Amino acid sequence: MGREVAESCIDGVIIEMVSAYSTRFYSSKPDVAARRIEAIGYQVGHQLSERYTMERPRFADHLEAIKFICKDFWTEVFKKQIDNLKTNHRGTFVLQDNHFRWLTRISLDPAVVANTEAASEGESGADSGAQMTSMLLYFPCGIIRGALTNLGIPCAVSADMSNLPACKFPCDTRQLVVLVF
Amino acid sequence: MIVCVAVVGHQNNPLYLESFTGGDDALKLHHIVHCSLDVIDERVNNPKRSASTLNETFLGLLYPTENYKVYGYLTNTKVKLIMVTTDLDVKDADVRSFFRKFHAAYVDAVSNPFHVPGKKITSNSFSERVGTIVKSFGHSMSL
Amino acid sequence: MDPIRTYLGRLLLEEITPVVMVITTPLAEEACQKNGFSFVDMLLPFSLFPRIDVPVRTASDQPYRLQMFKLRLFHASNIRKQNYEAAEEHLKRVISDLNEKNPPDLLSEPPQLDTALTKSESDLCPGWIKTFNKELIRTVSFSEHESFDHPVACILVASSKDEEPINKFTDLFNMDQTPPLLNEGVMDPKMLKHYVLLHDNQDGSTENAASIFAEMRGTFGQYDCKMLCINSLREGDENNNEVMWLPYRNYGILDHGKTCCLNTDDLNQIREFMQDLTCNHIIPYMEQKIRILNQQVSTTRKGFRNQIKNLWWRKGKDDMPEAPDGPMYTFSSVESQIRLLGDYAFMLRDYELALSNYRLLSTDYKLDKAWKRYAGVQEMCALSYFMLDQSRKEAEYCMENAFATYLKVGSLAQRNATRCGLWWAEMLKARGQYKEASSVYTRVSNEEPTLHAAIMLEQASCCYLLSRPPMLRKYGFHLILAGNRYYMSDQKQHAIRAYRNALFVYRDNSWSYINDHVHFNIGRWYGSLGSLDVAIKHVLEILACGHQSQPTQNLFLNEFFHFVQSAGKRFDVHKLRLPTINMSSFKVIHEDHRTYASAADFDMQESVWRDLEEEMTPTASAPRANWLDTHPKSSLKTYDHCVCVAGEVVRVEIELKNPLQIPIPISGISLMCELSGNSDASTLDNGAASFAVDESTGHTESPVNRLMDGDDSSFNLSKHDLVLGGGETKRVKLKVTPKVEGILKIVGVRWTLSESVVGYRYFEVNTKKKTKAKKGARISSGKNLTLIVIKGISKLEGRIDGLPAKAFMGDLQLLNLKLRNTSESAVKNIKMKINHPRYLIPGNSRETDLSIPQCLGEKNAHEEERYNLTDNKDTYKNLLFSFSESNVVQGGETFSWPIWFHCGTPGKVSLLISIYYEMENSTSGMTYRTLRMHHILEVLPSLDASFVISPCPSKLKEYLVRMDIVNRASSESFSLHQLSCVGDKWAISTLPSCTDITSVQTVLAGQALSCFFKIQDLNGVTEGECTGHRSNMLMGTEGSREQLFDISKSPLIDFHYQERHHQDKLAKVSESLLDFILISKAIGSNFESEAGSSHQLLSHHMCHCSVTRKSLISWRMSVPYTIYHDFSSSICEVELHVDVLNCSPNQVNVQVSTFDYTPDTTENPSSDWSGASSLSTKQSGWSDISLENDIRVMSSPKKVQKYHKSTSESAPPFVWCGSSAIQLSLEPACAARVPLKVCVFAPGTYNLSNYELRWKDVEGLSGSSAGQGHPFYLTVLEGPHGKVTPV
């Protein structure tokens, strides 16, 4: 059962997918591209959670499920655990990965950076890079959301990459919980 | 022998139901499976049992009808696996192992990228695999 | 809660009460029967005392009061155990007349989930079930093993008309009409006796009776005697009858309106009698009896010693043989005594006492293995526990125990088990343990015959629903089981009721299998009950059951059709599921100013047509606006509604799918439309709204009828019949043709399923479109359901005769465009636009009668028709052909125009032809229309010719041409007919050597051949020379004088220019020499069917053929070959010259240099001018001369011819004289002649190859003749002086 794929391949596939969606298919409307990528991630997370929760007792509450995501799920996917999990006890959890694997190989295009610095307006270069990275992050967001939803925790997941390669994933289960009840 | 296995989604919608009796008692089996959902809900919702068994995926014997025994299994993703057997003395271990295999088969089936979550499972390979699992179950019983 | 308040409590208070046995003389009965009821019935209403306040004392002198009390009166003959069959009969009767009393309502809507959850138990399971339960329990009364049914008292009744009534009384009791149990000694014969003398006032005065009564008192004692006077109603005072009979009515007695002779006094008397009997006799009697029994029991059994003794004694009894239901106990036995004590205590509500005795007794019975009695006692234990409302566990345990034991006893006690179960369930319900109760009911149902089982299951299902949280699925399941049982014991209404109540469980989520079964059975049963509409309604639910097996589908369908036929009338079913209509495929095709030759043309994108019609239509931007504004009633609202023309067809395409595996015949598929007369825009919306409304109201009056009535007057519809195979999907094109102008609403579609059921469905897209229209009508253009019908205007229908679907590349045909004006008014100013003028070119009117290939011949070439080719070139990009103003197509007549057709490159091509025409008299807003024709043409590959042109070595102006022909057709073979080169600058001719290309005139399929020609450039050739040269060459056999085709006239030349224009794009060589046209004929064709006559013409156009050369320039040295010279006189000077031709597209500098030694090859091919200078260092005086030479050449080539003797030491037999290097620059494609002179000193043959040409064009592309020029030999002979003979 233990079929494995070289990590570089995964990275390549993801980067290719992101670039394909964001530059080729929906280059005009990035939000659609983001939604599509997130949807793919959602399905992946949905199915992965289905697989990784085999042979486990059911989760008593949300916190257990989230912990599962942080520990086992994350280990299965990224070979490491989430480094830091925070929650305000009102349904929002923040998963922080100090060394997010899929971002370790991301670096802003030096040419872009250079000429933007030369042009002394660093925003666009930084923006393009940031935008690209955020595009990359929609996929893991989708994965987390899919997994949690499949575990019965509908939530909204965003990503915060203020300081790379550390990455935070705030999962907000609150308003949806309100919707549920 | 096992007369029926079923997969029921988290909205209690049937995802897969296969009867292994030649006869056309599909309706009855549907009813049995459908009713067993009530028992599962009951088991899960009122935690009168001890915490250890509370969260176990294997729910054990749901209820004995006049000539069937219905066993249940509830995954973390609120998917119910149900097995109806006519054997009177079933060893718990056998049922557990059966459900483990069954669950694995289910997971592989839904991991198929062309499977739409929440829709009926229509993959032939899945049904074949389940068939073999069921046969093996009967076999192990006979041993 | 207080157990008394609970249902079970009340039940017990009513059911477990003292029994009073009544024995009457026949005369007494007779007296009662005057009123139509028995004596018991007469007393019955007064046997229940809601509030008699009787003080009682327990055995231990605890005072308490009995509030509510009841006596059970039975005639002695009824005090016996019913045998099973009798009980069954009785119960059946009960159920049936319960049904008559309140039949289940089957016409109301089945309950929904939310309503069912809010219901209380009472209205969940119908009330008659409780009565049934009571009856069921009563069937086991008077059993020997329990004594609360044993009569406590006995009322002996004699009539005053009996002779010596005293004796009557005595032998009444001894007569054998006393119950068998009494005789068997199970009951205690020593019971409280009460003697009643019944006097019928209608039989005269009461004196006699009074005397008898006195006598009775004497014999039986003061208090135990009573005299009742009845029937004391006189004629005349028919007073408040109804009020009096009220109690009887409540008891259901006295339903037959018999004359009733009791009056108020009688009733009061009876009431007092009963009251007195209860308070003063029965209760005290029981109380006292309890005391006595208690005494005995406590003396015999209470206390440790007694226990031990008792135990030991029982042990001793063990060896006695086991009776089937335990040992026989007479009333006198201790056990019976205890039991009696317990029961009395229970009936007097002294539950502690009862309980203690029951428990005491149970151990005994257990030891005796008297299981039935044991069970009975356990039962009573449980009940007493319940009434005491203490230790529920005990109670349940006892019940369980009793139930199990009864079952163990077997068929004898089976009904007792049922009763026990019922009580048990009631107890659980009273405590809110509904789930357990339901399981008890289920267990009971297993023991009972079908009908009872059904009732039990129904109660079980109720309990499941009432349990918190409600277990809906079990509720449904048990209802289904119950219904099934009901059905088996043909109680169809109840079966239906049960199923209906279960419906909502399966409705929502996708347990279709069960849902289908339920619906189907309900339908079937309704059908058998005769209410077919409901039946059909239910079966309709499951018609589209694709998931079912095929036989099941068959079953459903047949049942359905059976119902429909037996119903007889026509059914209009909204949203009939068969077949399923795929609304996404829904499409409306209508023609406003854009008309289409065929429906298929509608599929083309609007944009394509727009581009095509751009400069043809008046305003391409918003084509509708221009005439809509002229439309009188048009407002902005109507702008995005589409328009159709009265009298013209509007097509609607939908996709029908058959979900089943069995074919279904569908007939009469047609649209439902409404055509409202006024074309006011405002009505559009509220019209749509109105449809939305009556969709919601569910169409009380069949819309089918409503929408049909209009159709003969204002529009007519097309009807389609088809059969959908299993799982098949078909597209149907429905047509509606409005006749008058107004607003046409396409409302929905209607069809008939196998001639029996009419289904109809509304198009919801209407509402969707409204929202869409905001964004832009473009999107919803295909789905517009509201059309403005404008007045009928003229319309052209067009087609092109004989336009093939497949044709060979290069196929050339003359087709005929036929335009038919269907209307009566004329159209004018017809223009035509073709997207591929390479394929289609309109001819001119003369050619209509002509026929290929004669018209192409040279003979009838209309010279004036010859196009001016140059200015055509540009206009041919996108041909706009406007027919001459003169031709106006009158109404109804057909206008035809020739069209030349020619196939370009192989492959699929879609030809778009748009024809624009204007109305002669445009009464309506529409001034013009366009007719759009779309044709998809597949061009098959045929001959594929390529040319290689190489310069002829001998002549500068002539070229050798190799034509390679490959026949790429699959099976077609062609015969080459003619090869022509376009324009008159070229002459083509066969090579003199090989004139026999005629041998290869036909090219078979797949064959490749190449043949050689010579072409000659006629530039600067005088007319005289070029006569005899032809630009066309016939390739046929010499013998057959087939006519040549004139390629220089239409249409060949037009197509040629199209081809040329087309091939311009792919022409790689900038310098193009000439174009060829190869004309061939298809012979032996297997495409005759498609491609018409076998002698059809193919013309292949090979443009931009260019000469393949190795170098930029070509040159030849031309001299006389042989010279006679008299060397005696002088040395021989020979004039010769080199002709240089520039073949490169741009200017070239050429240098011709001669040298008198044979240059060695090492240093020679230095092809640039530096190399030349290096070479000049070797030759003295090269460079300086060269420059001025250069200038001279530029200025005047004449001067070059000055000659001086060369002084070179290495003396070849000849020397070049004149300038050794001449340089000149050549304009593109022009030639120059460079004169040279050579001096020969002796006769001989000389190789004049030691000259060299170097050239360089402006682009730096340079080269040189390889070492030497073409070798050339000059022969000089000794001969007569000055005689030069040129060759």
Side-chain angles (χ1 to χ4, degrees), chain C residues 552-707:
Chain C
T552 326
Q553 297 177 1
N554 260 323
L555 178 63
F556 288 174
L557 264 191
N558 296 337
E559 199 72 16
F560 177 65
F561 290 140
H562 165 66
F563 288 151
V564 172
Q565 272 138 25
S566 47
K569 63 185 158 94
R570 196 189 70 175
F571 279 91
D572 301 332
V573 184
H574 183 225
K575 287 198 164 85
L576 178 60
R577 305 258 198 94
L578 230 52
T580 50
I581 296 181
N582 175 7
M583 286 313 284
S584 64
S585 71
F586 172 80
K587 198 163 125 200
V588 180
I589 302 177
H590 67 285
E591 297 179 331
D592 41 16
H593 69 287
R594 304 158 293 186
T595 65
Y596 297 89
S598 74
D601 303 353
F602 193 84
D603 302 338
M604 286 298 295
Q605 273 188 346
E606 178 66 17
S607 61
V608 180
W609 292 111
R610 288 191 175 289
D611 304 348
L612 184 62
E613 296 165 354
E614 217 161 8
E615 68 253 28
M616 192 164 64
T617 57
T619 54
S621 63
R624 298 205 217 119
N626 56 355
W627 56 268
L628 261 175
D629 299 344
T630 67
H631 196 282
K633 293 204 186 57
S634 77
S635 69
L636 282 178
K637 196 84 196 69
T638 63
Y639 179 68
D640 55 8
H641 289 296
C642 296
V643 170
C644 64
V645 179
E648 293 180 11
V649 175
V650 175
R651 295 188 203 77
V652 174
E653 285 186 24
I654 13 173
E655 218 169 61
L656 303 179
K657 185 177 190 313
N658 177 6
L660 304 183
Q661 301 165 20
I662 37 185
I664 48 174
I666 303 167
S667 59
I669 309 171
S670 71
L671 291 169
M672 298 189 291
C673 297
E674 267 197 352
L675 185 55
S676 56
N678 62 336
S679 67
D680 183 2
S682 64
T683 60
L684 293 179
D685 304 335
N686 54 32
S690 73
F691 284 121
V693 165
D694 57 14
E695 267 199 69
S696 59
T697 55
H699 313 290
T700 51
E701 52 101 14
S702 157
V704 180
N705 301 336
R706 186 193 61 204
L707 297 175

Side-chain angles (χ1 to χ4, degrees), chain C residues 25-39 42 157-161 198-203 230-231 261-262:
Chain C
T25 58
L27 286 172
E29 275 302 320
E30 187 182 313
C32 297
Q33 283 301 336
K34 287 184 183 171
N35 305 308
F37 46 60
S38 68
F39 184 78
M42 185 171 72
V157 187
S159 164
S160 55
K161 285 192 292 183
L198 191 66
H199 175 65
D200 186 345
N201 279 338
Q202 294 178 353
D203 308 339
I230 59 167
N231 300 347
C261 323
L262 300 180

